[in-house]
Amino acid sequence: MRTFKMQNTLLLQVSSSLFWGDVIGWTVSLLSLQTLKMRVWLLFALCLAGGALAAPTEEEAVVEEVVTEEPVAEETEVGTNPVQIEVGEFDEALEIPEDSADENPCLEHHCKKGKVCEVDEGNTPMCVCQDPTSCPAAEGAFEHVCGTDNKTYDTSCHFFATKCTLEGTKKGHKLHLDYVGPCKFIEACLDSELNEFPLRMRDWLKNVLVTLFQRDEDHNLLTEKQKLRVKKIFENEKRLQAGDYSLDLLAHDFQKNYNMYIFPVHWQFGQLDQHPADGYLTHTELSPLRAPLIPMEHCTTRFFEECDADGDKYIALEEWAACFGIKEQDVDNDLII
């Protein structure tokens, strides 16, 4: 069974209490390859279970959220998306100090990534491209991001500021943030490897929901309707417990207990479809799941590309469900709770 790979053995260890929504700390340690797989899935659970995912209001560009390995000192509210919190500084323009004499109209004027607010002669706020040299210096290699130009940028701030300066040009139109981390060689995804991806993902989604149900209590990580759906899965004696299983066993369980996987696949779609919630996934909406995964799972890009069966740059619920093996007659918009 092929598992996720890293370039070296310095890996993220995420505290198990993160399922409660509290970002207590990230530590670097030596882990086995099997443990890495579970940690990666755990991190994705946080991206999806924290409510609406943060995403920029860019055009149909491929824009990714950046997950850093830097330890987080302060605690966060239960149910908050930890990815959004850790990179919140990348979602906003540079902090603008409040004027002592007159109110600064930029204080409540939001600019998309790569731009900052300035006032014109009439004291009207407007967004202009940020100077890349004004971005804070990277505190470590973990802040690097890779662009589709195969160039490593010090931070996402440097990347989006650079992209902004290229707006209106052919190069700028083609430049998108590809994945988190420095650029590296990513091997081609074979057909046999691509078929393994949904097997692991389906099993992970089911176990994420079960875990959230067990630990939710009064933290509102799941809605009441979602809890009712997951409760049926949790109480089913035929449920395959969380573990590291062979692909053959995962495939067999999907056939035997097919109904357990229908809601988790719909749930993930609903968690990603937030900006706006229109029944379609854009590259931007996929970014919280896609960007951290690419450096470790080389079939990620191909999987998402092939989910877009009609090639219109949008993944409809029907296309998404088909990617995970859900039958057409079982696709139900009412399950997007």
Side-chain angles (χ1 to χ4, degrees):
M1 174 179 179
R2 188 171 58 82
T3 55
F4 296 123
K5 302 180 287 291
M6 288 282 285
Q7 287 180 322
N8 52 54
T9 56
L10 287 177
L11 311 171
L12 291 177
Q13 183 177 11
V14 184
S15 170
S16 60
S17 61
L18 285 177
F19 264 120
W20 296 87
D22 298 325
V23 182
I24 297 177
W26 294 36
T27 58
V28 178
S29 63
L30 294 175
L31 297 174
S32 67
L33 207 54
Q34 177 179 342
T35 304
L36 167 62
K37 174 184 174 182
M38 300 307 295
R39 299 302 186 191
V40 171
W41 287 138
L42 181 59
L43 177 58
F44 292 157
L46 298 170
C47 297
L48 299 177
L53 298 172
T57 56
E58 291 225 9
E59 69 281 359
E60 57 180 12
V62 182
V63 181
E64 276 67 16
E65 297 296 333
V66 179
V67 183
T68 71
E69 302 174 17
E70 181 180 7
V72 180
E74 56 182 341
E75 293 188 351
T76 63
E77 294 183 4
V78 173
T80 309
N81 178 8
V83 174
Q84 177 183 350
I85 291 172
E86 290 173 20
V87 296
E89 66 271 21
F90 300 140
D91 290 332
E92 304 291 336
L94 291 178
E95 183 179 353
I96 302 173
E98 186 174 2
D99 294 338
S100 57
D102 301 318
E103 180 181 358
N104 188 341
C106 279
L107 292 176
E108 296 183 357
H109 189 76
H110 177 78
C111 296
K112 69 179 182 180
K113 291 181 179 182
K115 293 190 175 185
V116 292
C117 180
E118 293 183 359
V119 294
D120 59 16
E121 295 180 355
N123 204 35
T124 300
M126 59 181 181
C127 294
V128 299
C129 289
Q130 180 178 352
D131 183 353
T133 61
S134 69
C135 291
E139 297 184 10
F142 55 80
E143 291 193 39
H144 296 340
V145 296
C146 183
T148 51
D149 56 355
N150 201 35
K151 177 181 177 181
T152 298
Y153 294 81
D154 284 351
T155 65
S156 64
C157 175
H158 289 86
F159 170 81
F160 287 112
T162 300
K163 178 176 172 60
C164 183
T165 61
L166 295 173
E167 280 186 352
T169 68
K170 185 176 181 180
K171 183 178 180 181
H173 180 71
K174 292 183 177 181
L175 179 61
H176 307 301
L177 196 155
D178 199 12
Y179 54 84
V180 175
C183 296
K184 68 174 186 176
F185 172 75
I186 297 180
E187 58 186 308
C189 174
L190 303 178
D191 292 342
S192 58
E193 297 172 321
L194 183 64
N195 293 334
E196 299 173 3
F197 190 95
L199 295 176
R200 295 191 298 267
M201 182 70 78
R202 285 190 307 243
D203 183 63
W204 168 71
L205 284 174
K206 179 193 64 180
N207 290 319
V208 164
L209 281 173
V210 169
T211 302
L212 290 176
F213 173 79
Q214 290 175 293
R215 302 185 180 183
D216 194 313
E217 294 184 359
D218 298 323
H219 297 297
N220 299 320
L221 298 177
L222 296 173
T223 66
E224 291 303 316
K225 289 184 178 180
Q226 289 172 340
K227 290 178 183 178
L228 290 175
R229 294 279 182 178
V230 182
K231 183 179 181 180
K232 295 180 181 179
I233 300 175
F234 173 71
E235 294 179 344
N236 195 318
E237 296 180 356
K238 297 180 180 180
R239 176 172 58 90
L240 187 66
Q241 301 294 322
D244 189 17
Y245 299 105
S246 68
L247 295 175
D248 288 340
L249 182 57
L250 292 177
H252 175 73
D253 186 68
F254 178 63
Q255 294 179 347
K256 182 179 178 181
N257 300 310
Y258 168 78
N259 289 332
M260 291 189 195
Y261 294 91
I262 296 176
F263 178 68
V265 170
H266 282 76
W267 171 77
Q268 184 189 43
F269 186 93
Q271 291 296 302
L272 294 173
D273 182 26
Q274 299 286 340
H275 308 284
D278 56 1
Y280 295 90
L281 296 183
T282 64
H283 288 298
T284 298
E285 290 173 315
L286 284 169
S287 63
L289 183 66
R290 179 180 179 273
L293 182 58
I294 290 179
M296 292 172 285
E297 172 55 71
H298 66 276
C299 285
T300 302
T301 297
R302 183 180 171 187
F303 176 79
F304 288 132
E305 287 177 348
E306 297 197 5
C307 274
D308 180 19
D310 57 10
D312 64 352
K313 306 297 184 182
Y314 296 91
I315 299 178
L317 175 59
E318 292 77 11
E319 293 174 315
W320 182 260
C323 283
F324 288 98
I326 303 302
K327 300 173 184 177
E328 183 177 356
Q329 62 266 28
D330 295 320
V331 178
D332 187 356
N333 282 296
D334 291 337
L335 293 181
I336 306 298
I337 303 173

